[in-house]
Amino acid sequence: MATITFVVGGTRTNSKNLWKIQDDGSSLTIIDSADIGSVANVYSVVGDSEGNFYVGTNEGKVYKVDLNLDVITSWGTNGVYDAGSATKEIYGLAVDVNGYLAIAHFGSTTPTTYTVKLLDSTGTLVWEEDHQSSNGSTCVSYSVKFDSSGNVVGVGSRNSGLYDGYKYQRADGAKLKSYWQKSGDGYGEGVWVFSDDDVVISDTPIGPGYGINVRKCSSDNTEEWNVSVVAESGHNPLRNSIVADDDENVYVGGNANGSKTIYKLNASTGVTDASYDTGGSVYGLDIDANGNLVAGGWEAADEDTNTAKLRIFDTDLTLLRYTNDSDLGTIYAVAASTHIPSSEVGEPADKLYSKNFVAVGNDQLWYESSAGTMSQLAASAVDGQLDTTIPLTICSAFQKVFIANQTNLKVADFINTKIVTANIGSNPPDRGNILTGDSSAAEMIVDFITSTSGASTIYGYRTTAATFEASETISGTDDDNNDIDFNMTAVAEVAPPHWYDWTPFGNDTTTYGTMPSEAYLVCRYRGRLILAGHRSYPHQWYASYVANPWSWIYSSTDPLSGIAGNNADAGEVGDIIKALIPYGDDFLIFGCADSIHIMDGDPASGGSIDEITNHTGIYGAWAWCKDNDGNLYFFGHGGLYKMAGGRSKPVCISSNILPKWIENWALDPSLHRVVLSYDPLRYGILISKITLSSGANSNYWFSLQTGGFYPTSFQDEAGVFCSKYYDSDSSGTREMIMGCNDGYLRIFKDSAKDDDSGASDDAISSYMGWIEQLGDGEDKEGKLTSMTVESGGGASSGAYSDTDGFSYELHTAADRETCMEDMKDGATARETGTISTTGRQNRIRKKVRGMNLGIKIYNSTASETFAINKISAVVKPVGRKK
Amino acid sequence: MAEFNPPLLGINNAVNPDKQPSLTTDYMDNVWPIDVLEKRIRLGQRPGVDKAFDGQIGNASNPIVAVCVVTTVD
């Protein structure tokens, strides 16, 4: 259970009437308190989405306080809304996500006395309305809630034939609906509105009998159930003492005159599933952040013989803990659903971001919508948005993903909120302007707009909890101090992610320049988005404004301006650009067809482009990677190249080991892709050749620990088309992730003994064969008399993981080449066997004689893997080869 | 008793087998120098590949052509 903190209010005790309570799962502790209104008792408390609280007192006033229980003087009048001295008791409060506050309070004997009010987020009255249900002696509203449209539902006293409750229209307080017409005078005491706008009301009649009645209906007053919970003399529900849990079970609090004081009503039927006697009246009920019921009221001895004012129950009404702290007054109000943020109570909150994996395939962009789940960005799948059969690269920048797919230049926006207008007006916003919703008070920082005139879509980062509402007026001031003024369409704001065309800001090419008409290479360098790969201008590169991917206009006097090769002193690249490889803010490598170039510094401020080598180019846009030490590896004309630090002359590190690599792979760029994938967890690089049409692949694993190359093969389905190390927040996906031929994203997994091939798993066929000299001299033979194998795992089970079994073959031949050939050709071995246990095996007493011994170790059994510690042997010389 | 020298340094086909550098071979596949059991430098079968996410990108058996990571503020 997480430690949580919540707020309660009540009778002024020891000069305090508002308390902050900490529940650590074993006890309840007062950690802060305040004296709200000095001489007042607190009757109602509610928390908003920003962690502030609204506090209603018995003096007809509402205060707004912050996390520290200090009055927020910028709200209302010096932090106070005064409903009028004659109003007195503020019984019910409700606040919506936009900071609008609904108030239910005591009125008078006049039937039309206003007892329901709505304040805007500044604490200014929007409207006040009557309950119009005076029972002849008092007119009062007891409880209010908002529905999903921001309308107010309130209940209060009534005369016979009138209603317990009404729905008041948000805009002007007009009564939209009435709830629960009843005969006889009485009181609607508590109201709860569900997320689907269903309404639950607790009620009691006036006069002999009293009792607790509860009714649930739909928003249009269609009854779902109506129960008489209890009919005990003098026993009635208490104002505002009603709450529902996540399963829509309803909890109702009553006064002390009943045999029970808390009732749990079944969500579907209203039948009482549980009840509890706290011994005293229960005025405040709420569900806390742990899903427990918090109940506050009189100090009294409960049915478990505990004396308390504040109690915590589980949802079956089992008492968990309680407090009767003498500093607490009688509890009239509980605001437990608003958990005070952990930073307030000293818990560190280090994580302020989220990471999401993004993948492109089948003409669609998908993203990690929740940990471990990939979802389609639907708009990307519309015909013509993407074409994954033509070259495409992507890069992340500014909390978005930028896609270069030749003529399809797109943005996947994961941070901005979207609002739409049919007419952006004569003063469109500039990037960075603040826009405010006139009625919602929502605010956003403008990032991008699709047009500077007429219909336009605005993307910006919303900085408030309040959200932009449909049809509302938007205001602001542009960079020239002109008023921004437009109306949203009848569509409220839309949360990210979004998909849109990558264009200059507002598509205004006069002010923000022109983007290339096509590109398939994109990267981020020095805060600029860099594009290249235009088929008609293959030597050209284009750079956006620094930190502004929507501005491409060139200015010779602005070192941050957009710039292209033909503008810059650095010039264009003298070879066809095939890859963009940024090194932070230091330099940018252009991998070209037959050369490697490096751009040093900023292209608009003294940057230069120099040729590093013309002895090799780079195979393609995916044929490179960097290790953790900043070394660059790429596949070039001679095989695998390394550029130490990314700057030095490239050196071919494979030619002395795999001189036939290029010949064997027989690469054709129209048929094959080469991908280099750096795995920091395994400290190596996977070099993959994949056939574009079929997924047939050949691979080498290059170990940065041993410096060796290790042939590796996968099923066609798992052929690697692209890869990225994902430093995920979830350990399960913190791996090098490979985009594969069949549309699945895959990882290397140490616990996987087979390869996933989509619908099934395939055994890994692993083998190695090598030659040992048996003779003790030139042209001499030896005799292997025994062999000892130590397989991985020590004793069976135990601290070290155990290998599975493997098989072996022993070949002999007069020369090494024949011996190796026999193993490769599958010739009949001299001896064979199987190792099936771990640790040192019993000596293998198989005797073979010859000049050279070929040993093959292999395993192709499903669900098996192996590791070998050591192989040793007893070999006796037997003389010269005949 | 002599200890044999399996090809811990991987493959090398630059020379004929008669001159094969120590700890290398011309014949191996799917064997890596770091084992999957204890992640030590010793020869063993490479790790298998497994799905990172359950669903197919694009809901079809078409190649994934590009991937990246995007980070956003909460």
Side-chain angles (χ1 to χ4, degrees), chain A residues 354 356 358 360 362 396 399 709-711 713 743 745 747 749-750 755-756 758 766 769 772 801 824 869 871 873, chain B residues 2 4-5 8 11 25-26 30 38-39 42 45-46 48-52 57-58 62 65-66 68-69 72-74:
Chain A
S354 292
N356 303 99
V358 174
V360 178
N362 197 32
S396 66
Q399 304 179 80
F709 289 83
Y710 304 83
S713 55
L745 293 162
I747 57 174
K749 194 171 184 179
D750 290 338
D755 282 342
D756 170 83
S766 55
E772 298 285 351
S801 299
K824 284 188 171 185
N869 285 341
I871 300 177
Chain B
F4 284 165
N5 299 302
L8 186 64
I11 202 162
T25 182
D26 185 27
N30 289 328
E38 296 293 330
K39 298 181 182 55
R42 62 181 178 183
Q45 181 173 287
R46 66 162 173 83
V49 291
D50 199 5
K51 294 186 181 73
I57 301 303
N62 287 331
V65 297
C68 75
V69 177
T72 55
V73 295
D74 283 341

Side-chain angles (χ1 to χ4, degrees), chain B residues 3-56:
Chain B
E3 184 174 347
F4 284 165
N5 299 302
L8 186 64
L9 298 183
I11 202 162
N12 185 321
N13 56 28
V15 297
N16 73 56
D18 189 48
K19 298 292 187 288
Q20 191 77 38
S22 178
L23 300 177
T24 68
T25 182
D26 185 27
Y27 181 54
M28 68 190 308
D29 192 24
N30 289 328
V31 174
W32 285 11
I34 311 296
D35 76 285
V36 300
L37 300 174
E38 296 293 330
K39 298 181 182 55
R40 297 177 177 177
I41 296 179
R42 62 181 178 183
L43 285 167
Q45 181 173 287
R46 66 162 173 83
V49 291
D50 199 5
K51 294 186 181 73
F53 301 90
D54 286 336
Q56 270 176 318

